[in-house]
Amino acid sequence: TRRMTASAATSATRTWARFAFGSWTDPSSTAPPPDTAFDPPLLRSLGIWPFVYRALRAADDGRARAFADDYRHATTANLIRLTRGAQVSAALAEHGVTAVALKGVAFTLRFCAEHPGLRPMADLDLLVPRAQYADAVAVLVGRGFVAADSET
């Protein structure tokens, strides 16, 4: 394999980031040329791989294959989490508990509904009012969740 200087790697990473995020607002963005360093492990570690994948796929660029399995996994896992989150939110609402989706869930629902693999999630973050915390815990425990030791 070819080794790059830190400066070349940084420049290539910036190029990929500009392409990935630029294509979000301008779908006609052109993919970096084939001689631009393409380092999937680095792009994964930076967390920009879903956007790179989406942009490359939209451009019908074969380099998208490097992330296809990651994207399918993220999409499947996120759809499961979003479905479970909707069920939990409905159960909380049935018991009068107000829950607000935060972080990955909120971003995915608001900006990525058509592309749920763009924001890989490891969990679901819901905010409930402190006054309703005990009620929320009771509802969740009743649905099979295990209560944590603290209110944080």
Side-chain angles (χ1 to χ4, degrees):
T1 58
R2 193 175 93 201
R3 295 184 66 105
M4 289 188 292
T5 65
S7 175
T10 300
S11 175
T13 301
R14 278 194 205 115
T15 299
W16 282 107
R18 276 194 296 274
F19 166 63
F21 296 116
S23 71
W24 185 262
T25 56
D26 180 10
S28 66
S29 294
T30 306
D35 64 343
T36 302
F38 182 61
D39 186 350
L42 175 62
L43 297 173
R44 280 186 191 95
S45 73
L46 295 172
I48 65 172
W49 70 265
F51 295 94
V52 172
Y53 171 77
R54 178 184 171 274
L56 286 172
R57 188 161 174 232
D60 199 28
D61 188 306
R63 291 173 286 185
R65 286 189 300 273
F67 303 111
D69 288 341
D70 299 296
Y71 191 79
R72 277 190 291 276
H73 174 76
T75 298
T76 302
N78 284 358
L79 289 172
I80 291 168
R81 284 186 184 92
L82 291 169
T83 299
R84 186 71 169 147
Q87 294 166 345
V88 166
S89 292
L92 291 169
E94 285 173 17
H95 289 87
V97 177
T98 304
V100 176
L102 300 173
K103 298 169 38 179
V105 175
F107 182 86
T108 299
L109 292 173
R110 181 162 182 177
F111 300 109
C112 308
E114 295 178 22
H115 305 282
L118 278 179
R119 174 47 169 88
M121 296 180 280
D123 60 9
L124 277 163
D125 296 292
L126 297 175
L127 177 67
V128 298
R130 185 171 295 279
Q132 295 181 319
Y133 177 80
D135 293 335
V137 170
V139 170
L140 295 174
V141 167
R143 294 187 65 87
F145 289 87
V146 177
D149 292 334
S150 69
E151 293 186 20
T152 59

